[in-house]
Amino acid sequence: MSSPATESKLDVGVVASLAAVYVIWSSTYFAIHVVVQHLPPLLMGGLRYFVAGLILLVLARGRGLPIPKPAAWGRAVPIALLLFVVGNGFVAMASTHISSGVIAVVCGTMPIWGALMGPFFGTKTTTREWLGLVVGFLGVAVLALGDELRADAQSTVLLLLAPIGWALGSLLVKKAALGEGMMGAATQTLAGGLLMIAVGLARGETMQLPVPVETTAALVYLIFFGSVVGFTAYNHLLVHARPALAMSYAYVNPVLAVLLGASLGNEAITATTLLGLLLIVLAVLAIVTKPRPSLTPSRTL
């Protein structure tokens, strides 16, 4: 059997998984924006990931995978804090004041942060990566000059911290034994959901009922498509496709997210957003298409 790296043709599963990751994960930013208009961001995220984690747990057990031991759950806590509370929770909090398109562009810097932190995890940063880092941070600087990021300082800080949390959490996943295959994802997701609920309650968040139909529909979409289907598709890519191809969502998602936000939510596409988007996409493209990837992110958005 040929390896993913030498396979000359894409199989149907890889094509379907790429389509799912490109479209679904591009749309999650707008879905989050819809949900947080009526539900508190951290309690919403906690409910989303806890339910998704239970589904993944059931699916993993159906495949005969063992439930991780307590030590693995302990290792999952700091990773879940970074991936879900910081990575996703901060995005949800920022979404109450910043458009989904701009959020997607900033979150597209995640592989850039991964390359920057790679040397601390034993991965040398190449000259090409350093060039990508400079271009990527220039793109963020351009976005920071726009009216949207200057309008709410707290949301902007949270948004800028979110991809750093995703990148650091992803690097830690590579060093931690959290469970086999899908069970590892279930462990992270369940821990992340519980942590988000705990932090949300500590912040004084409360659910206001009843919830509009469109909000409920967007939350269900995030649970089943954004988390369960999206992550299953990405896991298939990690196993059956080249790493660079699997990570190509990092420069496809921001483009599609900006278009979806404009078409579905009437979000404005400014020249600043387009310039920042172009610079960040070029930077991520330079980093993730190198021969030896520096980051294989764990993604459950």
Side-chain angles (χ1 to χ4, degrees):
M1 181 180 295
S2 57
S3 66
T6 60
E7 190 70 42
S8 60
K9 295 182 179 179
L10 295 178
D11 61 32
V12 175
V14 168
V15 173
S17 296
L18 279 173
V21 171
Y22 284 178
V23 176
I24 292 174
W25 281 351
S26 298
S27 63
T28 54
Y29 296 100
F30 181 72
I32 290 173
H33 182 77
V34 171
V35 172
V36 298
Q37 304 310 309
H38 298 282
L39 291 177
L42 292 180
L43 288 185
M44 175 278 296
L47 175 62
R48 169 193 171 185
Y49 285 116
F50 183 75
V51 173
L54 288 178
I55 294 172
L56 289 169
L57 181 67
V58 171
L59 292 174
R61 288 295 295 144
R63 295 182 178 182
L65 298 176
I67 295 179
K69 296 180 180 180
W73 291 96
R75 289 190 292 268
V77 171
I79 293 172
L81 181 66
L82 289 166
L83 290 176
F84 297 97
V85 177
V86 177
N88 188 267
F90 285 9
V91 164
M93 293 169 69
S95 294
T96 60
H97 296 96
I98 301 175
S99 67
S100 63
V102 171
I103 285 178
V105 173
V106 175
C107 288
T109 63
M110 188 274 292
I112 300 174
W113 288 107
L116 182 63
M117 292 184 286
F120 297 100
F121 292 83
T123 302
K124 182 180 178 181
T125 302
T126 65
T127 302
R128 180 174 177 176
E129 286 177 317
W130 282 117
L131 177 61
L133 291 171
V134 172
V135 175
F137 290 129
L138 180 60
V140 173
V142 169
L143 286 175
L145 296 175
D147 293 336
E148 200 162 355
L149 289 189
R150 289 188 297 172
D152 191 290
Q154 182 178 3
S155 296
T156 298
V157 171
L158 291 174
L159 178 57
L160 293 175
L161 289 174
I164 300 176
W166 270 114
L168 181 55
S170 299
L171 288 167
L172 290 175
V173 166
K174 299 176 67 175
K175 304 290 185 179
L178 303 178
E180 300 179 33
M182 188 177 289
M183 187 60 76
T187 304
Q188 297 172 55
T189 309
L190 281 170
L194 290 173
L195 283 171
M196 292 183 79
I197 291 173
V199 176
L201 292 174
R203 292 184 67 243
E205 292 185 357
T206 57
M207 291 282 193
Q208 299 295 326
L209 300 176
V211 178
V213 174
E214 62 271 18
T215 302
T216 303
L219 180 58
V220 171
Y221 179 82
L222 287 171
I223 292 171
F224 288 96
F225 289 92
S227 297
V228 178
V229 177
F231 186 83
T232 301
Y234 183 58
N235 186 67
H236 182 85
L237 289 174
L238 291 179
V239 175
H240 298 283
R242 292 176 293 106
L245 182 62
M247 289 195 297
S248 60
Y249 76 84
Y251 53 87
V252 174
N253 284 173
V255 178
L256 294 181
V258 168
L259 296 177
L260 286 172
S263 59
L264 299 179
N266 296 318
E267 297 177 357
I269 302 179
T270 66
T272 301
T273 300
L274 289 176
L275 179 56
L277 173 63
L278 175 62
L279 291 172
I280 290 173
V281 167
L282 290 175
V284 174
L285 183 63
I287 290 172
V288 304
T289 57
K290 66 186 184 66
R292 179 175 50 80
S294 63
L295 174 64
T296 302
S298 172
R299 176 70 185 265
T300 51
L301 267 179

